[in-house]
Amino acid sequence: MSIFTRLLRSALLLVLFTASSAALAVDYVGTETCIRCHQDAYEAWQGSHHQLAMQHASEDAILGDFNNAQFTFNDKINRFYTKGEQFWVNIEGPDGQFHDYQIKYTFGVTPLQQYMVEFDDGRVQLIPFTWDARPKQEGGQRWYHLYPEMAKTDEFYWTNTGQNWNFMCADCHSTDLKKNYNAETNQYNTTWAEISVGCEACHGPASEHLALANLKQDGGEWNNKHFGFDRDLSKAVKEWVYQQDNSTLQPKAIEHTQQVPVCAQCHSRRIQLSEKNDHVNGAFQDRYLLSMITPQLYHHDGQIYDEDYVYGSYLQTKMAEKGVSCTNCHDPHSAQLKVPEQAVCAQCHVAAEYLPDNHTFHQADSEASKCTTCHMPETTYMQVDPRRDHSWQIPRPDLSKHINTPNVCTRCHTDQSNQWAEDALIKWFPDSRYRNPQHFSIAFYASSVNHPSAGQMLSYIAQDQAQSNIIRASAIQRLANHPNKDAINVLASAVKDNNDMIRLGAVKGSSAYPLADRWKLISPLLNDPVYAVRTEAAGALVAYWKALSAQQRSALASALAEYIEIQTFSSDRGASRTNLGNIHRAQGHYQLAIEAYQQAIKVEPNFANSYINLADLYRAQKNEPLAFNTLMQGIKAQPKAAILSYSAGLSLLRQNQPKQALDLFKKASTVEPNNPQYWLVYGLSLEKFDLLKADEALQQAFDISGNPDHLYARCEILVKYKSAGAPACIEALKPYAPDTLIQQLNSRLK
């Protein structure tokens, strides 16, 4: 019996899904079937990014130079060539040797095209060398390395999981994708209805539509609101109207349609949870787990930092609130702007209110005078691919002064300061309402530096109905690092909110609280109507399994079964197998937990948490040497994971080897220099070996965190050894510590 079957059976958690007997079976019929009636849409789709999202490698599809071309990288020659009608590369593999690989598929078309290799286990991987498809005069028509700093142990090395098409890319680049991953054999048999993004990727399977079309052709009539489809892809606003004293047209009415979630299924940063749940007629998070506004993806003010694929930016905006849909600006079939760029915004924004002399204050028809230049700045990803920010920000150099967020003013005027830009905006817009000291970015920044007021500020943002739901949800998530009484009240309210992102935020936001409080807060979400919400709640609460009553375990059972389904679906990833191991461990099935962690290491050797959790289980079983060996195995597989070096150092301390632990703590601090905990422990460990370095490390911990406990730790050591730096340290501690503590430290110096 497999590890997955045993897990489901042991918990008695089989969830059965049944379809309505009245529902009609629908099938995919293929884009070619649509041409006869939808010639205009088909022609617009031809040559689009959707139509060319993925192709079989062929002379027509391949843009790159495979005419025995050579590209030298790190003093090694990579070769691109053909064998008959096949396309091949000779490049370095993970073993450090060069091998010949056949290119089976192309990925994208412009401004770059990537290429994929298929392995015997069904795994499809993107090679590291990419073709710059731009014209030669723009620097294109060349091979380049997409990730030149990538090491073989990194997630995004070309044969590792970060470049795996089956999991990372396939769901969006093909139509009706079925991953078909076999968790027992660690193999794929991935299939699609169409290799690229066809008509049915957005409209859904068209067999019923086709039947109705044939019926109408024979004299019948349409008898279905959406013409045989289960979704309405029209705009949410059918008519925009002018209102006195408003410079922007307003929606006459906002209707619920499925257009935005259909686009968002691919144009978002999210994790796929299921292939069967309906995110179109249900909730988006019935099928996907959307990434919130996190420091890994966004600047503190919501501007894009990493690739976000648009949806997370869009959800922050007034446009989303007003019902602006994707096709208000974009043609859905060509994926191009539906009207010239200068006219897109003028569809709703009254042109007379946004002229150069009263709004842009830059020369008419110049690049600087375009709406997009200031409100949708570009960030270039993948070295050659500029993408516009869809959060439609108002330039805020006043924020940049304090929290170092970028702004478009000094991005162009690189010789000027943020203060100069702020002064210009004050002059141009003296009555602007956008210089708001309560901007959410201040709270997000405060949280990032662990400011004492961060919790209070986040609580305010979380409850501010003027903020978008994704901002409120992101604030609630951050409350996990700032537990306090106000935060508990915010979390209790968030659990009851109508928006699923906010309810989901409460799950992560409650992580700092003990079981009694956390169960009371989030257990109601175990019956949430949205799949992601109830399963994330289950995943959070199962960690307390041994402390749960029989009644609580029963309440957890159904949502936990679904959570296990998600991890099983994603078991081609180390994180999911590690999550399964965590469930086994929580339930006391230690051997099954060990097996799950070991399998996680097997399928994704560079995923650090698998080693951490396995080592922690060995430690709990009082096998510290095996725990240490596991961590050292992890360091070899993923040397850039500071947590592994840190944990290995702690293991050596437990084995009474403090001097040997120093190198590991130093490495952790070097790999992740902004982690104050690593500097703190490194400094404390140095106490008996090098007081000067200990002092420096502890000061670094305080400089990063601003945590008075770190400054006290430094003062304590300096006082203990009556160091010359002790009086200055005590003086620096005064604003944070009670007088009695300061007096006590001073008395020990005498």
Side-chain angles (χ1 to χ4, degrees):
M1 185 181 297
S2 75
I3 192 170
F4 305 101
T5 304
R6 282 182 287 180
L7 185 55
L8 288 167
R9 180 171 291 184
S10 67
L12 299 176
L13 299 174
L14 182 62
V15 176
L16 299 176
F17 292 90
T18 57
S20 169
S21 58
L24 294 174
V26 289
D27 297 309
Y28 287 81
V29 300
T31 294
E32 297 300 316
T33 309
C34 308
I35 300 175
R36 183 182 62 176
C37 298
H38 302 283
Q39 185 69 37
D40 289 346
Y42 176 76
E43 290 180 358
W45 174 76
Q46 285 288 305
S48 69
H49 283 273
H50 287 159
Q51 192 246 334
L52 302 176
M54 181 172 170
Q55 302 174 81
H56 292 285
S58 68
E59 187 174 354
D60 291 337
I62 294 275
L63 299 179
D65 181 4
F66 280 81
N67 187 23
N68 205 26
Q70 295 184 353
F71 176 70
T72 301
F73 177 74
N74 284 347
D75 298 324
K76 298 176 182 178
I77 296 175
N78 303 272
R79 194 161 59 90
F80 307 85
Y81 62 99
T82 59
K83 289 183 182 179
E85 296 183 353
Q86 296 176 350
F87 295 81
W88 287 75
V89 295
N90 180 258
I91 60 177
E92 189 174 1
D95 59 358
Q97 303 300 311
F98 274 66
H99 302 278
D100 295 317
Y101 301 98
Q102 183 185 354
I103 299 298
K104 297 295 292 289
Y105 308 103
T106 69
F107 219 49
V109 60
T110 183
L112 67 152
Q113 187 175 66
Q114 295 179 266
Y115 303 98
M116 294 184 284
V117 168
E118 186 170 16
F119 291 92
D120 291 339
D121 59 2
R123 201 173 307 272
V124 177
Q125 301 287 139
L126 288 96
I127 69 170
F129 301 103
T130 301
W131 181 253
D132 185 342
R134 298 174 302 166
K136 196 165 187 176
Q137 59 268 29
E138 295 179 16
Q141 300 302 296
R142 65 186 176 100
W143 289 103
Y144 71 97
H145 197 298
L146 193 58
Y147 301 104
E149 304 299 323
M150 202 62 60
K152 293 181 177 65
T153 53
D154 289 339
E155 178 186 2
F156 278 84
Y157 182 74
W158 82 270
T159 55
N160 293 343
T161 53
Q163 292 296 326
N164 172 242
W165 165 85
N166 311 73
F167 172 84
M168 294 289 292
C169 322
D171 181 52
C172 285
H173 279 254
S174 299
T175 303
D176 188 31
L177 198 288
K178 296 291 185 288
K179 183 171 67 171
N180 293 332
Y181 173 71
N182 187 317
E184 300 302 318
T185 64
N186 191 26
Q187 294 181 330
Y188 293 94
N189 184 27
T190 305
T191 63
W192 56 68
E194 285 189 71
I195 191 172
S196 63
V197 181
C199 305
E200 293 164 295
C202 301
H203 291 278
S207 59
E208 185 180 345
H209 173 78
L210 189 63
L212 289 172
N214 290 332
L215 178 65
K216 183 178 181 182
Q217 191 175 37
D218 293 336
E221 295 185 4
W222 294 106
N223 59 359
N224 180 291
K225 180 180 179 182
H226 302 310
F227 313 112
F229 293 111
D230 66 349
R231 58 195 68 176
D232 177 1
L233 299 186
S234 65
K235 301 171 187 174
V237 177
K238 306 300 190 286
E239 183 179 356
W240 298 88
V241 297
Y242 176 76
Q243 292 181 354
Q244 189 70 31
D245 298 326
N246 200 318
S247 62
T248 305
L249 301 185
Q250 299 298 306
K252 186 175 183 179
I254 302 176
E255 300 177 9
H256 174 72
T257 75
Q258 285 83 28
Q259 182 185 127
V260 170
V262 165
C263 296
Q265 66 189 353
C266 292
H267 293 277
S268 64
R269 283 293 288 265
R270 80 297 189 276
I271 296 172
Q272 186 177 3
L273 305 177
S274 165
E275 286 182 341
K276 61 188 179 183
N277 292 352
D278 185 359
H279 69 288
V280 176
N281 293 293
F284 182 78
Q285 297 198 115
D286 280 335
R287 188 180 179 101
Y288 302 106
L289 180 63
L290 181 66
S291 297
M292 295 293 105
I293 310 303
T294 64
Q296 293 74 31
L297 297 181
Y298 300 87
H299 293 285
H300 294 306
D301 61 353
Q303 293 187 74
I304 54 173
Y305 172 66
D306 200 356
E307 299 173 83
D308 82 324
Y309 311 127
V310 172
Y311 188 48
S313 295
Y314 162 83
L315 286 176
Q316 301 176 48
T317 68
K318 294 295 183 185
M319 292 196 188
E321 179 186 323
K322 295 291 187 179
V324 173
S325 304
C326 308
T327 58
N328 282 103
C329 302
H330 298 276
D331 181 282
H333 300 110
S334 70
Q336 301 296 315
L337 290 176
K338 58 189 297 184
V339 294
E341 179 180 324
Q342 60 269 29
V344 170
C345 302
Q347 294 179 106
C348 293
H349 295 269
V350 178
E353 300 291 334
Y354 298 93
L355 297 173
D357 60 350
N358 65 2
H359 187 76
T360 74
F361 300 99
H362 288 79
Q363 184 178 345
D365 301 323
S366 67
E367 187 70 24
S369 198
K370 290 181 179 179
C371 306
T372 52
T373 300
C374 289
H375 300 293
M376 298 182 71
E378 291 179 332
T379 300
T380 298
Y381 302 102
M382 305 177 83
Q383 300 183 41
V384 300
D385 189 6
R387 303 181 194 173
R388 292 204 177 274
D389 191 331
H390 282 65
S391 61
W392 293 294
Q393 298 270 340
I394 304 297
R396 292 294 303 271
D398 58 319
L399 293 177
S400 302
K401 283 195 313 182
H402 300 292
I403 62 175
N404 202 32
T405 48
N407 71 80
V408 293
C409 303
T410 54
R411 178 175 175 172
C412 287
H413 298 275
T414 55
D415 59 333
Q416 299 291 352
S417 67
N418 291 320
Q419 186 61 58
W420 169 86
E422 183 184 5
D423 291 343
L425 291 177
I426 291 173
K427 178 181 177 181
W428 292 338
F429 306 102
D431 300 321
S432 174
R433 65 181 184 275
Y434 290 105
R435 285 187 298 278
N436 175 11
Q438 298 295 340
H439 194 275
F440 67 82
S441 62
I442 303 298
F444 286 5
Y445 172 76
S447 177
S448 73
V449 298
N450 200 31
H451 191 277
S453 299
Q456 182 181 1
M457 297 167 73
L458 290 171
S459 295
Y460 177 86
I461 297 299
Q463 298 174 92
D464 183 4
Q465 297 294 324
Q467 303 289 342
S468 65
N469 287 324
I470 195 170
I471 293 299
R472 294 178 59 207
S474 301
I476 292 167
Q477 283 189 353
R478 284 169 165 83
L479 285 173
N481 297 321
H482 311 281
N484 57 61
K485 186 175 181 180
D486 289 341
I488 288 183
N489 293 332
V490 171
L491 293 167
S493 176
V495 167
K496 302 172 186 176
D497 199 276
N498 290 329
N499 184 268
D500 58 348
M501 289 186 292
I502 291 176
R503 300 197 302 274
L504 194 58
V507 176
K508 292 187 177 180
S510 64
S511 61
Y513 297 95
L515 170 60
D517 292 333
R518 202 174 190 199
W519 180 271
K520 185 176 180 180
L521 282 168
I522 68 172
S523 63
L525 298 179
L526 295 171
N527 296 311
D528 197 273
V530 176
Y531 190 65
V533 178
R534 60 181 181 267
T535 53
E536 285 294 294
L541 292 172
V542 70
Y544 309 98
W545 182 268
K546 289 183 179 179
L548 298 180
S549 67
Q551 184 178 6
Q552 288 173 322
R553 292 180 181 181
S554 178
L556 181 60
S558 179
L560 180 57
E562 293 178 309
Y563 179 76
I564 293 170
E565 279 190 330
I566 292 171
Q567 308 315 313
T568 305
F569 170 70
S570 298
S571 57
D572 49 346
R573 282 299 178 272
S576 291
R577 291 195 186 237
T578 299
N579 288 340
L580 292 170
N582 293 342
I583 297 171
H584 282 306
R585 181 179 178 180
Q587 295 179 334
H589 306 145
Y590 300 124
Q591 186 55 41
L592 292 179
I594 290 172
E595 292 175 19
Y597 295 143
Q598 290 173 337
Q599 289 172 354
I601 291 169
K602 181 180 178 181
V603 301
E604 193 170 357
N606 56 6
F607 181 67
N609 284 3
S610 304
Y611 301 96
I612 296 292
N613 290 24
L614 178 57
D616 190 58
L617 180 50
Y618 287 144
R619 182 187 62 79
Q621 294 179 330
K622 303 191 183 306
N623 193 339
E624 194 64 58
L626 186 54
F628 177 74
N629 290 339
T630 299
L631 293 167
M632 295 306 293
Q633 176 191 353
I635 291 171
K636 183 177 180 180
Q638 182 48 280
K640 293 183 180 179
I643 184 64
L644 290 168
S645 297
Y646 175 72
S647 299
L650 293 178
S651 178
L652 286 177
L653 289 183
R654 288 191 289 268
Q655 297 178 72
N656 296 315
Q657 300 180 53
K659 191 168 185 178
Q660 292 85 340
L662 288 178
D663 286 341
L664 289 164
F665 290 139
K666 181 179 180 180
K667 182 176 180 180
S669 301
T670 302
V671 172
E672 197 172 320
N674 292 321
N675 189 312
Q677 179 66 19
Y678 297 162
W679 286 107
L680 174 67
V681 175
Y682 181 40
L684 294 174
S685 300
L686 281 164
E687 174 191 346
K688 295 180 180 179
F689 304 102
D690 192 325
L691 185 61
L692 179 60
K693 287 185 178 179
D695 182 21
E696 292 172 351
L698 293 171
Q699 180 62 49
Q700 184 75 0
F702 176 67
D703 288 344
I704 295 169
S705 69
N707 186 340
D709 290 341
H710 295 167
L711 182 57
Y712 173 74
R714 175 179 174 242
C715 295
E716 173 70 21
I717 286 180
L718 294 178
V719 168
K720 180 178 179 180
Y721 293 95
K722 293 183 168 50
S723 168
C729 185
I730 295 172
E731 189 67 24
L733 185 63
K734 280 185 178 180
Y736 306 100
D739 292 340
T740 53
L741 181 60
I742 299 298
Q743 292 169 4
Q744 183 186 64
L745 289 172
N746 279 320
S747 67
R748 289 168 55 192
L749 283 176
K750 297 177 181 178

